[in-house]
Amino acid sequence: QVQLLESGGGLVQAGDSLRLSCAASGRTFSLYTMGWFRQAPGKEREFVAAVTASSAGTWYTDSVKGRFTISRDNGKKMVYLQMDDLKPQDTAVYYCVRGRAIPTKPTMEVDYWGQGTQVTVSS
């Protein structure tokens, strides 16, 4: 059984930074691609960022490139999303996910979802 527990969300102003954390359970954490998705009010859930099992590769949706950084610590079974220069359009519930990369596609296949953490950015 895999559980993903997000933390670090909150209310910030435009231009501020936040760091989301995701604590994972299960013995196979280091074998899987990990990532973040988000869902804004009234919108579909969208891919944000992903990191491969060994951290050799990372990829992002275009709207966060240069502002967000994903990382992981396999020894601690943790995934992080450093979010800088936040904008009101980043307001959403952010979900930690486990899954697999999809070759040539800027997203990932997901088999486990966390429950989410709210990020609200005021203008």
Side-chain angles (χ1 to χ4, degrees), residues 64-122:
V64 308
K65 284 180 182 176
R67 300 188 298 120
F68 289 14
T69 304
I70 189 170
S71 61
R72 65 190 294 163
D73 184 329
N74 284 346
K76 295 181 179 179
K77 297 183 184 179
M78 295 291 294
V79 186
Y80 306 99
L81 186 68
Q82 177 66 41
M83 306 186 294
D84 298 320
D85 189 23
L86 282 161
K87 304 178 186 300
Q89 52 264 42
D90 295 318
T91 295
V93 177
Y94 284 72
Y95 298 90
C96 177
V97 300
R98 189 195 86 166
R100 295 169 182 79
I102 304 174
T104 75
K105 291 192 176 182
T107 184
M108 62 181 286
E109 179 183 301
V110 176
D111 58 5
Y112 283 97
W113 295 81
Q115 294 199 334
T117 185
Q118 176 71 47
V119 172
T120 303
V121 185
S122 64

Side-chain angles (χ1 to χ4, degrees), residues 2-8 19-25 28-37 49-53 55 57-60 69-82 95-99 108 112 117:
V2 174
Q3 290 187 322
L4 303 172
L5 182 62
E6 305 95 335
S7 62
R19 187 195 197 204
L20 303 184
S21 299
C22 172
S25 66
T28 58
F29 175 82
S30 63
L31 301 180
Y32 287 88
T33 292
M34 298 296 295
W36 293 89
F37 279 65
V51 56
T52 57
S55 298
T58 59
W59 58 102
Y60 302 88
T69 304
I70 189 170
S71 61
R72 65 190 294 163
D73 184 329
N74 284 346
K76 295 181 179 179
K77 297 183 184 179
M78 295 291 294
V79 186
Y80 306 99
L81 186 68
Q82 177 66 41
Y95 298 90
C96 177
V97 300
R98 189 195 86 166
M108 62 181 286
Y112 283 97
T117 185

